[in-house]
RNA sequence: GCGCCCUUCGUCUAUCGGUUAGGACGACAGCCUUUCACGUUGUAAAGACGGGUUCGAUUCCCGUAGGGCGCGCCA
């Protein structure tokens, strides 16, 4: 049963009131989290990870938390945080409570690091970054695995060189293996000899990722961790930390990555697009959600379904392990479908919401402030939306409505207009 | 180099040992339409390779090849 859990940093996790219904048979509330690092925009893979976390939480009557992993002070920016929140909001994904700043919890992380140190599960390491770098280079040139050699693992602290601030390393088991029981990947076994003693607290006293994640997920009561497979090795390291702390493991689910059309990793490091770019290309959030849902997850032959249906169907057991390539053609087709099936008035709203994000959208946005113009566009909508695959296409094909400023009061339209526009024009003039 | 993971039409995927290997996007060819679009009908298109296990493998096991991810005082 869920118990309130309070972190020393002061935020209390209230147990969620158990909702009735057949899905509420879980003994503890489902808490997922989306934990992006604010070093850039929200890329598409992150968007899907958020979608899965969101859907999973909703599906089980739980909630999704948002944690900003901003412990890297050098690279974290406020602009990136805004971009991420903006991207999630546009995608229609909401989260419970305020976003948690991981950096804001550094004190608590240090505390755990100290505890590990006191328990003999961690030790001070006086190697300098330069020494480490040399060690790595040597290992690489000798074609040996690149790992920390544990130089300070058994060394007496009295041998510590003067003037060197130590980092704290986790004393990772050297024999045996670490097993990850993953809902998507299955049972993954990693030999402990391949996992070196990772730094959990930097020499400047700041915690590192793997420690922070474990402490935060634990303190925040996260029950299910759904993230990209690129974190699989981290999962092993984190498992060791959970064990050392005697904490209960959350359920893990590592989903496959989304690759670019060329098969290479699609991430912000490789110039992939942020979700804001998809908005600017005129895609509808609901189409985006539907498209993303079908990347790595499936429900039989079902292709097009509303988000509510996706939430009802979503489960980790239907999530595949192989990576998918991003296919614009399919996205575009799906988007066209959604445009055609969206009510005129609501599509007009989507268009108005989109216009500010389109570089050519200003004039039309201005023109649409006029009630009569909006009405005219609304009338033309049935014909317009039929042949537009994106909001950009919709806006462009609607352009004729705004072109001639003193709008001709009487048809017929000029003969050189394409038939589609002529008929739409006629429709817009219909009384 | 070491570890982990992946491999069904071009792409996303279904298949939970026995199917004419299904669907969707895309492609191609018709139909519909005074254009386009929509819609619609049809066609081409896949189990990486080699071994096992089994009466029977796309499905289970091993190997090979190819691909991906990870190996930071980044997250």
């Amino acid at each position: 049963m869920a118990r309130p859990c309070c972190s020393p940093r002061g935020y209390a996790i209230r147990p969620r009131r158990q909702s009735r219904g057949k899905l509420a048979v879980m003994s503890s509330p489902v808490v997922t989290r989306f934990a992006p690092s604010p070093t850039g925009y929200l890329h598409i893979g992150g968007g899907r990870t958020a979608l899965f976390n969101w859907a999973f939480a909703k599906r089980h009557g739980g909630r999704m938390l948002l944690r900003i992993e901003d412990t890297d002070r050098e690279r974290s920016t406020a602009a990136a945080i805004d971009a991420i929140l903006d991207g999630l909001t546009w995608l229609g994904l909401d989260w419970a409570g305020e976003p948690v700043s991981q950096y804001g919890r550094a004190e608590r992380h240090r505390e755990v690091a100290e505890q590990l140190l006191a328990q003999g599960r961690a030790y001070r390491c006086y190697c300098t970054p330069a020494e480490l770098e040399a060690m790595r280079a040597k290992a690489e040139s000798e074609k040996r695995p690149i790992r920390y050699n544990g130089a300070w693992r058994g060394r007496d602290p009295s041998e510590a060189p003067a003037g060197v601030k130590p980092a704290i390393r986790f004393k990772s088991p050297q024999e045996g293996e670490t097993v990850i029981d993953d809902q998507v990947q299955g049972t993954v076994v990693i030999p402990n000899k391949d996992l070196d003693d990772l730094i959990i607290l930097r020499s400047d006293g700041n915690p590192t990722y793997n420690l922070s994640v474990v402490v935060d997920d634990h303190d925040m009561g996260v029950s299910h961790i759904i993230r990209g497979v690129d974190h699989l090795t981290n999962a092993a390291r984190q498992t060791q930390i959970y064990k050392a702390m005697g904490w209960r493991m959350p359920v893990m689910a590592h989903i496959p990555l989304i690759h670019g059309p060329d098969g290479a990793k699609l991430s912000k490091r490789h110039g992939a697009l942020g979700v804001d770019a998809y908005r600017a290309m005129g895609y509808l959030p609901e189409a985006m959600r539907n498209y993303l849902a079908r990347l790595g997850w499936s429900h039989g032959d079902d292709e097009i379904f509303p988000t509510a249906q996706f939430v009802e169907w979503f489960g980790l057991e239907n999530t595949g392990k192989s990576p998918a390539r991003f296919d614009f053609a399919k996205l575009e087709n799906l988007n066209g479908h959604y445009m055609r099936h969206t009510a005129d008035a609501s599509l007009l709203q989507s268009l108005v919401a989109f216009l500010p994000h389109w570089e050519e959208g200003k004039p039309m946005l201005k023109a649409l402030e006029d009630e009569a113009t909006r009405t005219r566009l609304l009338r033309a909508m049935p014909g317009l939306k039929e042949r537009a695959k994106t909001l950009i296409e919709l806006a462009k094909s609607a352009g004729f409505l705004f072109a001639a400023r003193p709008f001709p009061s009487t048809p017929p339209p000029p003969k050189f207009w394409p038939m589609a526009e002529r008929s739409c024009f006629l429709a817009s003039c219909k009384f």
Side-chain angles (χ1 to χ4, degrees), chain A residues 44-45 258-264 266 273 278 281 283 288 291-292 295 323-332:
Chain A
I44 207 66
I258 297 176
H259 290 171
D262 61 343
L266 187 64
L273 302 171
Y278 293 86
M281 285 186 274
Y283 295 113
M288 215 60 210
Y291 178 73
L292 255 20
L295 251 33
R325 297 187 186 197
F326 197 91
D327 182 15
F328 273 100
K330 190 158 183 177
L331 204 214
E332 192 139 310

PDB file of all heavy atoms in Angstrom, chain A residues 44-45 258-264 266 273 278 281 283 288 291-292 295 323-332, chain B residues 11-12:
ATOM      1  N   ILE A  44      12.296  14.581 -31.074  1.00  0.00           N
ATOM      2  CA  ILE A  44      11.165  13.717 -31.341  1.00  0.00           C
ATOM      3  C   ILE A  44      11.190  12.418 -30.531  1.00  0.00           C
ATOM      4  O   ILE A  44      10.151  11.908 -30.117  1.00  0.00           O
ATOM      5  CB  ILE A  44      11.075  13.443 -32.864  1.00  0.00           C
ATOM      6  CG1 ILE A  44       9.634  13.156 -33.226  1.00  0.00           C
ATOM      7  CG2 ILE A  44      12.008  12.363 -33.308  1.00  0.00           C
ATOM      8  CD1 ILE A  44       8.713  14.328 -33.045  1.00  0.00           C
ATOM      9  N   GLY A  45      12.390  11.908 -30.299  1.00  0.00           N
ATOM     10  CA  GLY A  45      12.493  10.690 -29.501  1.00  0.00           C
ATOM     11  C   GLY A  45      12.046  10.963 -28.073  1.00  0.00           C
ATOM     12  O   GLY A  45      11.358  10.155 -27.453  1.00  0.00           O
ATOM     13  N   ILE A 258      14.374   5.998 -31.869  1.00  0.00           N
ATOM     14  CA  ILE A 258      13.853   6.346 -33.186  1.00  0.00           C
ATOM     15  C   ILE A 258      15.056   6.798 -34.003  1.00  0.00           C
ATOM     16  O   ILE A 258      15.820   7.658 -33.563  1.00  0.00           O
ATOM     17  CB  ILE A 258      12.839   7.499 -33.097  1.00  0.00           C
ATOM     18  CG1 ILE A 258      11.622   7.079 -32.267  1.00  0.00           C
ATOM     19  CG2 ILE A 258      12.401   7.920 -34.502  1.00  0.00           C
ATOM     20  CD1 ILE A 258      10.623   8.190 -32.050  1.00  0.00           C
ATOM     21  N   HIS A 259      15.214   6.197 -35.152  1.00  0.00           N
ATOM     22  CA  HIS A 259      16.329   6.576 -36.015  1.00  0.00           C
ATOM     23  C   HIS A 259      15.860   7.486 -37.135  1.00  0.00           C
ATOM     24  O   HIS A 259      14.681   7.552 -37.445  1.00  0.00           O
ATOM     25  CB  HIS A 259      16.971   5.332 -36.625  1.00  0.00           C
ATOM     26  CG  HIS A 259      17.706   4.515 -35.617  1.00  0.00           C
ATOM     27  ND1 HIS A 259      18.204   3.266 -35.904  1.00  0.00           N
ATOM     28  CD2 HIS A 259      18.020   4.755 -34.329  1.00  0.00           C
ATOM     29  CE1 HIS A 259      18.806   2.784 -34.829  1.00  0.00           C
ATOM     30  NE2 HIS A 259      18.699   3.652 -33.858  1.00  0.00           N
ATOM     31  N   GLY A 260      16.809   8.150 -37.742  1.00  0.00           N
ATOM     32  CA  GLY A 260      16.485   8.999 -38.875  1.00  0.00           C
ATOM     33  C   GLY A 260      16.230   8.114 -40.090  1.00  0.00           C
ATOM     34  O   GLY A 260      16.437   6.903 -40.028  1.00  0.00           O
ATOM     35  N   PRO A 261      15.806   8.706 -41.179  1.00  0.00           N
ATOM     36  CA  PRO A 261      15.522   7.939 -42.394  1.00  0.00           C
ATOM     37  C   PRO A 261      16.736   7.117 -42.846  1.00  0.00           C
ATOM     38  O   PRO A 261      16.597   6.103 -43.511  1.00  0.00           O
ATOM     39  CB  PRO A 261      15.192   9.027 -43.409  1.00  0.00           C
ATOM     40  CG  PRO A 261      14.667  10.151 -42.595  1.00  0.00           C
ATOM     41  CD  PRO A 261      15.497  10.124 -41.339  1.00  0.00           C
ATOM     42  N   ASP A 262      17.925   7.546 -42.461  1.00  0.00           N
ATOM     43  CA  ASP A 262      19.143   6.843 -42.866  1.00  0.00           C
ATOM     44  C   ASP A 262      19.538   5.734 -41.894  1.00  0.00           C
ATOM     45  O   ASP A 262      20.508   5.036 -42.103  1.00  0.00           O
ATOM     46  CB  ASP A 262      20.290   7.849 -42.996  1.00  0.00           C
ATOM     47  CG  ASP A 262      20.570   8.545 -41.675  1.00  0.00           C
ATOM     48  OD1 ASP A 262      19.695   8.499 -40.776  1.00  0.00           O
ATOM     49  OD2 ASP A 262      21.664   9.133 -41.537  1.00  0.00           O
ATOM     50  N   GLY A 263      18.788   5.596 -40.826  1.00  0.00           N
ATOM     51  CA  GLY A 263      19.092   4.521 -39.896  1.00  0.00           C
ATOM     52  C   GLY A 263      20.005   4.920 -38.752  1.00  0.00           C
ATOM     53  O   GLY A 263      20.228   4.144 -37.837  1.00  0.00           O
ATOM     54  N   ALA A 264      20.537   6.107 -38.819  1.00  0.00           N
ATOM     55  CA  ALA A 264      21.420   6.543 -37.741  1.00  0.00           C
ATOM     56  C   ALA A 264      20.599   7.123 -36.601  1.00  0.00           C
ATOM     57  O   ALA A 264      19.424   7.447 -36.759  1.00  0.00           O
ATOM     58  CB  ALA A 264      22.395   7.587 -38.256  1.00  0.00           C
ATOM     59  N   LEU A 266      18.725   9.221 -34.079  1.00  0.00           N
ATOM     60  CA  LEU A 266      18.046  10.490 -34.230  1.00  0.00           C
ATOM     61  C   LEU A 266      18.084  11.173 -32.875  1.00  0.00           C
ATOM     62  O   LEU A 266      17.348  10.817 -31.969  1.00  0.00           O
ATOM     63  CB  LEU A 266      16.594  10.237 -34.651  1.00  0.00           C
ATOM     64  CG  LEU A 266      15.731  11.426 -35.028  1.00  0.00           C
ATOM     65  CD1 LEU A 266      16.299  12.093 -36.264  1.00  0.00           C
ATOM     66  CD2 LEU A 266      14.323  10.970 -35.302  1.00  0.00           C
ATOM     67  N   LEU A 273      15.339  17.132 -35.547  1.00  0.00           N
ATOM     68  CA  LEU A 273      14.427  18.239 -35.326  1.00  0.00           C
ATOM     69  C   LEU A 273      13.759  18.186 -33.961  1.00  0.00           C
ATOM     70  O   LEU A 273      13.511  17.121 -33.427  1.00  0.00           O
ATOM     71  CB  LEU A 273      13.351  18.208 -36.410  1.00  0.00           C
ATOM     72  CG  LEU A 273      13.874  18.278 -37.841  1.00  0.00           C
ATOM     73  CD1 LEU A 273      12.747  18.005 -38.816  1.00  0.00           C
ATOM     74  CD2 LEU A 273      14.499  19.635 -38.097  1.00  0.00           C
ATOM     75  N   TYR A 278       8.192  20.421 -35.949  1.00  0.00           N
ATOM     76  CA  TYR A 278       7.034  19.720 -36.522  1.00  0.00           C
ATOM     77  C   TYR A 278       5.800  20.612 -36.456  1.00  0.00           C
ATOM     78  O   TYR A 278       4.951  20.582 -37.332  1.00  0.00           O
ATOM     79  CB  TYR A 278       6.799  18.393 -35.791  1.00  0.00           C
ATOM     80  CG  TYR A 278       7.921  17.422 -36.042  1.00  0.00           C
ATOM     81  CD1 TYR A 278       9.076  17.436 -35.250  1.00  0.00           C
ATOM     82  CD2 TYR A 278       7.869  16.546 -37.120  1.00  0.00           C
ATOM     83  CE1 TYR A 278      10.133  16.589 -35.510  1.00  0.00           C
ATOM     84  CE2 TYR A 278       8.922  15.686 -37.389  1.00  0.00           C
ATOM     85  CZ  TYR A 278      10.059  15.718 -36.587  1.00  0.00           C
ATOM     86  OH  TYR A 278      11.116  14.888 -36.852  1.00  0.00           O
ATOM     87  N   MET A 281       6.017  22.923 -39.215  1.00  0.00           N
ATOM     88  CA  MET A 281       5.769  22.323 -40.529  1.00  0.00           C
ATOM     89  C   MET A 281       4.284  22.099 -40.749  1.00  0.00           C
ATOM     90  O   MET A 281       3.869  21.580 -41.783  1.00  0.00           O
ATOM     91  CB  MET A 281       6.528  20.997 -40.661  1.00  0.00           C
ATOM     92  CG  MET A 281       8.021  21.199 -40.871  1.00  0.00           C
ATOM     93  SD  MET A 281       8.864  19.622 -41.195  1.00  0.00           S
ATOM     94  CE  MET A 281       9.192  19.065 -39.543  1.00  0.00           C
ATOM     95  N   TYR A 283       2.033  20.296 -38.686  1.00  0.00           N
ATOM     96  CA  TYR A 283       1.419  19.033 -38.279  1.00  0.00           C
ATOM     97  C   TYR A 283       0.534  19.265 -37.064  1.00  0.00           C
ATOM     98  O   TYR A 283       0.823  20.108 -36.221  1.00  0.00           O
ATOM     99  CB  TYR A 283       2.491  17.982 -37.963  1.00  0.00           C
ATOM    100  CG  TYR A 283       3.299  17.590 -39.169  1.00  0.00           C
ATOM    101  CD1 TYR A 283       4.658  17.901 -39.264  1.00  0.00           C
ATOM    102  CD2 TYR A 283       2.693  16.926 -40.234  1.00  0.00           C
ATOM    103  CE1 TYR A 283       5.400  17.565 -40.394  1.00  0.00           C
ATOM    104  CE2 TYR A 283       3.429  16.584 -41.364  1.00  0.00           C
ATOM    105  CZ  TYR A 283       4.778  16.905 -41.440  1.00  0.00           C
ATOM    106  OH  TYR A 283       5.488  16.569 -42.551  1.00  0.00           O
ATOM    107  N   MET A 288       0.420  13.813 -34.688  1.00  0.00           N
ATOM    108  CA  MET A 288       1.765  13.551 -34.180  1.00  0.00           C
ATOM    109  C   MET A 288       1.729  12.439 -33.132  1.00  0.00           C
ATOM    110  O   MET A 288       2.542  11.513 -33.167  1.00  0.00           O
ATOM    111  CB  MET A 288       2.246  14.854 -33.520  1.00  0.00           C
ATOM    112  CG  MET A 288       3.690  15.146 -33.642  1.00  0.00           C
ATOM    113  SD  MET A 288       4.248  15.305 -35.329  1.00  0.00           S
ATOM    114  CE  MET A 288       5.911  14.737 -35.062  1.00  0.00           C
ATOM    115  N   TYR A 291       1.029   9.156 -34.795  1.00  0.00           N
ATOM    116  CA  TYR A 291       2.196   8.661 -35.532  1.00  0.00           C
ATOM    117  C   TYR A 291       3.249   8.087 -34.572  1.00  0.00           C
ATOM    118  O   TYR A 291       3.768   6.992 -34.761  1.00  0.00           O
ATOM    119  CB  TYR A 291       2.811   9.771 -36.383  1.00  0.00           C
ATOM    120  CG  TYR A 291       4.042   9.290 -37.099  1.00  0.00           C
ATOM    121  CD1 TYR A 291       3.935   8.417 -38.178  1.00  0.00           C
ATOM    122  CD2 TYR A 291       5.317   9.634 -36.649  1.00  0.00           C
ATOM    123  CE1 TYR A 291       5.060   7.909 -38.798  1.00  0.00           C
ATOM    124  CE2 TYR A 291       6.448   9.132 -37.267  1.00  0.00           C
ATOM    125  CZ  TYR A 291       6.319   8.274 -38.337  1.00  0.00           C
ATOM    126  OH  TYR A 291       7.423   7.754 -38.934  1.00  0.00           O
ATOM    127  N   LEU A 292       3.550   8.869 -33.556  1.00  0.00           N
ATOM    128  CA  LEU A 292       4.555   8.457 -32.572  1.00  0.00           C
ATOM    129  C   LEU A 292       4.147   7.178 -31.843  1.00  0.00           C
ATOM    130  O   LEU A 292       4.985   6.328 -31.533  1.00  0.00           O
ATOM    131  CB  LEU A 292       4.736   9.592 -31.553  1.00  0.00           C
ATOM    132  CG  LEU A 292       5.985  10.484 -31.605  1.00  0.00           C
ATOM    133  CD1 LEU A 292       6.694  10.456 -32.938  1.00  0.00           C
ATOM    134  CD2 LEU A 292       5.637  11.898 -31.184  1.00  0.00           C
ATOM    135  N   LEU A 295       5.241   3.976 -33.474  1.00  0.00           N
ATOM    136  CA  LEU A 295       6.669   3.721 -33.629  1.00  0.00           C
ATOM    137  C   LEU A 295       7.129   2.874 -32.442  1.00  0.00           C
ATOM    138  O   LEU A 295       7.340   3.374 -31.351  1.00  0.00           O
ATOM    139  CB  LEU A 295       7.438   5.053 -33.655  1.00  0.00           C
ATOM    140  CG  LEU A 295       8.057   5.535 -34.971  1.00  0.00           C
ATOM    141  CD1 LEU A 295       7.242   5.125 -36.178  1.00  0.00           C
ATOM    142  CD2 LEU A 295       8.277   7.018 -34.930  1.00  0.00           C
ATOM    143  N   PRO A 323      14.525  -0.785 -33.253  1.00  0.00           N
ATOM    144  CA  PRO A 323      14.395   0.639 -33.532  1.00  0.00           C
ATOM    145  C   PRO A 323      13.587   0.895 -34.803  1.00  0.00           C
ATOM    146  O   PRO A 323      13.521   0.058 -35.693  1.00  0.00           O
ATOM    147  CB  PRO A 323      15.841   1.101 -33.698  1.00  0.00           C
ATOM    148  CG  PRO A 323      16.580  -0.119 -34.098  1.00  0.00           C
ATOM    149  CD  PRO A 323      15.887  -1.249 -33.400  1.00  0.00           C
ATOM    150  N   ALA A 324      12.980   2.073 -34.858  1.00  0.00           N
ATOM    151  CA  ALA A 324      12.175   2.439 -36.018  1.00  0.00           C
ATOM    152  C   ALA A 324      12.777   3.661 -36.699  1.00  0.00           C
ATOM    153  O   ALA A 324      13.466   4.458 -36.073  1.00  0.00           O
ATOM    154  CB  ALA A 324      10.751   2.747 -35.575  1.00  0.00           C
ATOM    155  N   ARG A 325      12.525   3.744 -37.984  1.00  0.00           N
ATOM    156  CA  ARG A 325      12.991   4.934 -38.693  1.00  0.00           C
ATOM    157  C   ARG A 325      11.843   5.915 -38.834  1.00  0.00           C
ATOM    158  O   ARG A 325      10.704   5.507 -39.030  1.00  0.00           O
ATOM    159  CB  ARG A 325      13.481   4.558 -40.089  1.00  0.00           C
ATOM    160  CG  ARG A 325      14.673   3.637 -40.025  1.00  0.00           C
ATOM    161  CD  ARG A 325      15.251   3.422 -41.398  1.00  0.00           C
ATOM    162  NE  ARG A 325      16.314   2.431 -41.330  1.00  0.00           N
ATOM    163  CZ  ARG A 325      17.217   2.266 -42.279  1.00  0.00           C
ATOM    164  NH1 ARG A 325      17.166   3.009 -43.370  1.00  0.00           N
ATOM    165  NH2 ARG A 325      18.161   1.370 -42.150  1.00  0.00           N
ATOM    166  N   PHE A 326      12.181   7.149 -38.780  1.00  0.00           N
ATOM    167  CA  PHE A 326      11.168   8.183 -38.899  1.00  0.00           C
ATOM    168  C   PHE A 326      10.789   8.362 -40.363  1.00  0.00           C
ATOM    169  O   PHE A 326      11.649   8.544 -41.210  1.00  0.00           O
ATOM    170  CB  PHE A 326      11.701   9.490 -38.326  1.00  0.00           C
ATOM    171  CG  PHE A 326      10.608  10.474 -38.042  1.00  0.00           C
ATOM    172  CD1 PHE A 326      10.001  10.504 -36.794  1.00  0.00           C
ATOM    173  CD2 PHE A 326      10.164  11.344 -39.013  1.00  0.00           C
ATOM    174  CE1 PHE A 326       8.977  11.385 -36.523  1.00  0.00           C
ATOM    175  CE2 PHE A 326       9.130  12.231 -38.756  1.00  0.00           C
ATOM    176  CZ  PHE A 326       8.535  12.255 -37.512  1.00  0.00           C
ATOM    177  N   ASP A 327       9.498   8.275 -40.643  1.00  0.00           N
ATOM    178  CA  ASP A 327       9.031   8.347 -42.022  1.00  0.00           C
ATOM    179  C   ASP A 327       8.065   9.512 -42.221  1.00  0.00           C
ATOM    180  O   ASP A 327       6.901   9.457 -41.832  1.00  0.00           O
ATOM    181  CB  ASP A 327       8.345   7.029 -42.378  1.00  0.00           C
ATOM    182  CG  ASP A 327       7.857   6.998 -43.821  1.00  0.00           C
ATOM    183  OD1 ASP A 327       8.297   7.857 -44.611  1.00  0.00           O
ATOM    184  OD2 ASP A 327       7.052   6.122 -44.157  1.00  0.00           O
ATOM    185  N   PHE A 328       8.572  10.556 -42.846  1.00  0.00           N
ATOM    186  CA  PHE A 328       7.761  11.749 -43.048  1.00  0.00           C
ATOM    187  C   PHE A 328       6.535  11.487 -43.916  1.00  0.00           C
ATOM    188  O   PHE A 328       5.482  12.082 -43.722  1.00  0.00           O
ATOM    189  CB  PHE A 328       8.586  12.869 -43.667  1.00  0.00           C
ATOM    190  CG  PHE A 328       9.296  13.700 -42.645  1.00  0.00           C
ATOM    191  CD1 PHE A 328      10.640  13.493 -42.377  1.00  0.00           C
ATOM    192  CD2 PHE A 328       8.625  14.679 -41.923  1.00  0.00           C
ATOM    193  CE1 PHE A 328      11.288  14.246 -41.406  1.00  0.00           C
ATOM    194  CE2 PHE A 328       9.261  15.434 -40.962  1.00  0.00           C
ATOM    195  CZ  PHE A 328      10.598  15.224 -40.699  1.00  0.00           C
ATOM    196  N   ALA A 329       6.689  10.619 -44.899  1.00  0.00           N
ATOM    197  CA  ALA A 329       5.565  10.362 -45.806  1.00  0.00           C
ATOM    198  C   ALA A 329       4.353   9.834 -45.034  1.00  0.00           C
ATOM    199  O   ALA A 329       3.220  10.221 -45.275  1.00  0.00           O
ATOM    200  CB  ALA A 329       5.979   9.361 -46.880  1.00  0.00           C
ATOM    201  N   LYS A 330       4.624   8.958 -44.110  1.00  0.00           N
ATOM    202  CA  LYS A 330       3.525   8.388 -43.348  1.00  0.00           C
ATOM    203  C   LYS A 330       2.919   9.416 -42.395  1.00  0.00           C
ATOM    204  O   LYS A 330       1.715   9.490 -42.216  1.00  0.00           O
ATOM    205  CB  LYS A 330       4.004   7.158 -42.582  1.00  0.00           C
ATOM    206  CG  LYS A 330       2.867   6.374 -41.962  1.00  0.00           C
ATOM    207  CD  LYS A 330       3.255   4.941 -41.673  1.00  0.00           C
ATOM    208  CE  LYS A 330       2.052   4.182 -41.119  1.00  0.00           C
ATOM    209  NZ  LYS A 330       2.351   2.765 -40.897  1.00  0.00           N
ATOM    210  N   LEU A 331       3.797  10.203 -41.787  1.00  0.00           N
ATOM    211  CA  LEU A 331       3.326  11.258 -40.896  1.00  0.00           C
ATOM    212  C   LEU A 331       2.406  12.192 -41.666  1.00  0.00           C
ATOM    213  O   LEU A 331       1.336  12.584 -41.201  1.00  0.00           O
ATOM    214  CB  LEU A 331       4.532  12.056 -40.382  1.00  0.00           C
ATOM    215  CG  LEU A 331       4.470  12.838 -39.067  1.00  0.00           C
ATOM    216  CD1 LEU A 331       5.290  14.084 -39.140  1.00  0.00           C
ATOM    217  CD2 LEU A 331       3.055  13.135 -38.590  1.00  0.00           C
ATOM    218  N   GLU A 332       2.839  12.535 -42.857  1.00  0.00           N
ATOM    219  CA  GLU A 332       2.085  13.476 -43.671  1.00  0.00           C
ATOM    220  C   GLU A 332       0.719  12.910 -44.046  1.00  0.00           C
ATOM    221  O   GLU A 332      -0.296  13.595 -44.010  1.00  0.00           O
ATOM    222  CB  GLU A 332       2.875  13.784 -44.943  1.00  0.00           C
ATOM    223  CG  GLU A 332       2.298  14.956 -45.700  1.00  0.00           C
ATOM    224  CD  GLU A 332       3.393  15.853 -46.242  1.00  0.00           C
ATOM    225  OE1 GLU A 332       4.291  16.228 -45.455  1.00  0.00           O
ATOM    226  OE2 GLU A 332       3.354  16.151 -47.438  1.00  0.00           O
TER     227      GLU A 332
ATOM    228  P     U B  11      13.275  -0.887 -45.313  1.00  0.00           P
ATOM    229  OP1   U B  11      14.491  -0.739 -44.498  1.00  0.00           O
ATOM    230  OP2   U B  11      12.566  -2.173 -45.357  1.00  0.00           O
ATOM    231  O5'   U B  11      12.234   0.239 -44.872  1.00  0.00           O
ATOM    232  C5'   U B  11      12.677   1.547 -44.505  1.00  0.00           C
ATOM    233  C4'   U B  11      11.525   2.325 -43.946  1.00  0.00           C
ATOM    234  O4'   U B  11      10.506   2.468 -44.973  1.00  0.00           O
ATOM    235  C3'   U B  11      10.798   1.635 -42.807  1.00  0.00           C
ATOM    236  O3'   U B  11      11.446   1.842 -41.559  1.00  0.00           O
ATOM    237  C2'   U B  11       9.433   2.312 -42.873  1.00  0.00           C
ATOM    238  O2'   U B  11       9.475   3.622 -42.353  1.00  0.00           O
ATOM    239  C1'   U B  11       9.222   2.390 -44.379  1.00  0.00           C
ATOM    240  N1    U B  11       8.532   1.195 -44.900  1.00  0.00           N
ATOM    241  C2    U B  11       7.169   1.111 -44.695  1.00  0.00           C
ATOM    242  O2    U B  11       6.535   1.961 -44.103  1.00  0.00           O
ATOM    243  N3    U B  11       6.577  -0.013 -45.209  1.00  0.00           N
ATOM    244  C4    U B  11       7.195  -1.045 -45.892  1.00  0.00           C
ATOM    245  O4    U B  11       6.516  -1.991 -46.299  1.00  0.00           O
ATOM    246  C5    U B  11       8.616  -0.888 -46.051  1.00  0.00           C
ATOM    247  C6    U B  11       9.220   0.200 -45.558  1.00  0.00           C
ATOM    248  P     C B  12      11.259   0.751 -40.400  1.00  0.00           P
ATOM    249  OP1   C B  12      12.175   1.129 -39.318  1.00  0.00           O
ATOM    250  OP2   C B  12      11.301  -0.604 -40.970  1.00  0.00           O
ATOM    251  O5'   C B  12       9.759   1.046 -39.921  1.00  0.00           O
ATOM    252  C5'   C B  12       9.422   2.297 -39.315  1.00  0.00           C
ATOM    253  C4'   C B  12       7.979   2.271 -38.888  1.00  0.00           C
ATOM    254  O4'   C B  12       7.133   2.194 -40.065  1.00  0.00           O
ATOM    255  C3'   C B  12       7.594   1.052 -38.073  1.00  0.00           C
ATOM    256  O3'   C B  12       7.957   1.217 -36.714  1.00  0.00           O
ATOM    257  C2'   C B  12       6.086   0.992 -38.304  1.00  0.00           C
ATOM    258  O2'   C B  12       5.406   1.949 -37.517  1.00  0.00           O
ATOM    259  C1'   C B  12       5.990   1.398 -39.777  1.00  0.00           C
ATOM    260  N1    C B  12       5.988   0.223 -40.674  1.00  0.00           N
ATOM    261  C2    C B  12       4.777  -0.438 -40.927  1.00  0.00           C
ATOM    262  O2    C B  12       3.755  -0.014 -40.372  1.00  0.00           O
ATOM    263  N3    C B  12       4.759  -1.513 -41.739  1.00  0.00           N
ATOM    264  C4    C B  12       5.893  -1.944 -42.302  1.00  0.00           C
ATOM    265  N4    C B  12       5.833  -3.012 -43.105  1.00  0.00           N
ATOM    266  C5    C B  12       7.147  -1.289 -42.069  1.00  0.00           C
ATOM    267  C6    C B  12       7.148  -0.228 -41.257  1.00  0.00           C
TER     268        C B  12
END
